Amino acid sequence: MITLRQLRYLAALARHRHFGRAAEDCAITQPALSMQVRDLEREIGAELVERRPGDIALTETGLEVARRAEHILAATRDVVDFARHRGVLTGKLRLGIIPTLAPYVLPHVLPRLQVAYPQLRLEVRETQTKTLLNELVTGELDTVMLAMPVDGTDIETRRLFDDPFLLAVPAADPLRGHRRVAVADVDQRRLILLEEGHCLRDQALAFCGASSGDAPASLGATSLATVMQMVANGYGVTLLPEVAASVEVRDHRVKLLRFAGPEPARTIGLAWRQTSPRKNDFAALGGIVTETLGASARKAAVAKYLGGERARSRAAQP
């Protein structure tokens, strides 16, 4: 009989493509994991893994069995969640969040969650969208906060808020006197972006009508903080999400400009597996986020950086 343990070990082997690393991930010895995979192959009656000196590869059958195993394991976790979590936002909740949201959303949301739901044990995983969605589908995460839309027929979503883009330019930039800017005002040759893999990079390129090949190199920047330092030192301009402005623009060398309407924006939402029994939890979490980061609160937080730059610049001069 096929066991969940065997499926879990095969799934780990598919992720790591290495018996040693898969065994470490599953907290067992390598021989024990190898034996369980052998037993699974005998039970199924097909070879799942090609074993070669110093290397392995999953067969075509092995890849498909591993893919189906991930779905079975995720459904099993959902059954456990259903039995354990009868109250709203109690126990452990594994939240994934993209890097261009985490430093700006969590400091506002976490204190309110702690007060409203003291029995919640939140675990946070911050990484790029593709990894978050993979871990969501396989059951390693309960829900993820990211930029929408989200692909996948087995995933449900909830819109939280719209996050407009601002144009961040050096304080001495010729655009500094403009109250509103248009897409045509953005010099794509000076556009500084995050590295490949960040959805914010793709959104900025789409808005500006540029392809990845047309845009300047991002210099390997993995955070908005690094990009904003480049802008502050006169190396270019960037599109900054409004939610990040109050944190990333504290330098008199940077000026923020709003775009002419309709303002470009990304839509932030929560995503979870369609089979998850914790939809009441996600609704409560989404409500806290929306209430905390509503449009009026975000606009008030960045208002002092829109139009007060000259005064701040003069105050900073010796």
Side-chain angles (χ1 to χ4, degrees), residues 66-236:
R67 187 186 69 81
R68 291 172 180 262
E70 292 281 18
H71 287 283
I72 293 171
L73 294 169
T76 302
R77 294 186 185 99
D78 288 341
V79 169
V80 174
D81 281 344
F82 172 76
R84 288 180 178 174
H85 301 286
R86 293 305 180 97
V88 175
L89 287 179
T90 60
K92 183 169 69 173
L93 181 73
R94 298 161 299 181
L95 169 68
I97 186 167
I98 57 176
T100 55
L101 281 176
Y104 320 114
V105 169
L106 295 182
H108 300 285
V109 171
L110 292 183
R112 298 194 64 169
L113 273 176
Q114 192 171 42
V115 171
Y117 301 99
Q119 296 183 28
L120 174 66
R121 291 187 294 112
L122 190 68
E123 295 183 359
V124 175
R125 163 84 157 134
E126 178 186 347
T127 190
Q128 294 180 8
T129 300
K130 182 178 180 180
T131 301
L132 290 180
L133 289 176
N134 286 338
E135 294 180 1
L136 177 66
V137 170
T138 60
E140 296 170 72
L141 294 172
D142 297 310
T143 184
V144 298
M145 191 184 304
L146 72 182
M148 297 169 66
V150 176
D151 294 329
T153 56
D154 54 350
I155 293 177
E156 292 184 3
T157 59
R158 171 189 170 121
R159 177 187 169 278
L160 299 179
F161 60 89
D162 289 331
D163 188 18
F165 288 120
L166 307 170
L167 183 64
V169 302
D173 193 280
L175 288 174
R176 67 186 184 278
H178 292 222
R179 295 186 62 84
R180 294 271 179 168
V181 292
V183 179
D185 295 323
V186 180
D187 185 350
Q188 295 180 15
R189 296 168 301 177
R190 300 177 59 218
L191 192 59
I192 303 174
L193 302 171
L194 294 172
E195 68 178 1
E196 295 282 354
H198 287 271
C199 60
L200 183 59
R201 175 188 178 90
D202 298 331
Q203 291 156 359
L205 289 173
F207 168 63
C208 294
S211 66
S212 297
D214 295 331
S218 65
L219 302 180
T222 61
S223 71
L224 285 174
T226 301
V227 171
M228 293 306 294
Q229 279 300 309
M230 298 294 294
V231 174
N233 284 280
Y235 286 97

